[in-house]
């Protein structure tokens, strides 16, 4: 997967107080993703865009769009990526 395809899947990070706390407590970052994106596509897009290995993805459909809660191997990796994308 190239960067153009990955940027069509992962639209933007979703930042609230709850998702901010998830970075520290659960090593998760929340993204708004394309409605038709599958969990394996989301994992592949995260590694293509951010060079980070995601371990698990949970999704939910909301009025804001489809949210993907992406879990990383450690809190440090999640914190580094959150800082890189401007969440922290």
């Amino acid at each position: 997967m190239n960067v153009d395809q990955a940027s069509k899947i992962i639209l933007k990070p979703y930042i609230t107080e709850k998702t901010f706390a998830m970075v520290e407590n659960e090593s998760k970052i929340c993204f708004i993703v394309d409605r038709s994106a599958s969990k394996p596509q989301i994992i592949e897009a995260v590694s293509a865009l951010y060079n980070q290995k995601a371990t698990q993805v949970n999704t939910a459909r909301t009025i804001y769009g489809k949210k993907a809660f992406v879990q990383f191997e450690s809190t440090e990796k999640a914190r580094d990526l959150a800082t890189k994308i401007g969440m922290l």
Side-chain angles (χ1 to χ4, degrees), residues 19-62:
T19 59
F20 188 78
M22 288 174 69
V23 173
E24 296 294 325
N25 300 334
E26 302 175 33
S27 306
K28 291 184 180 179
I29 296 178
C30 183
F31 296 99
I32 300 294
V33 297
D34 183 57
R35 286 192 177 272
S36 63
S38 66
K39 291 179 182 182
Q41 287 176 329
I42 294 168
I43 290 174
E44 192 175 341
V46 167
S47 67
L49 283 176
Y50 305 116
N51 297 323
Q52 292 284 345
K53 175 83 170 92
T55 58
Q56 182 180 357
V57 174
N58 294 329
T59 58
R61 292 183 183 265
T62 66

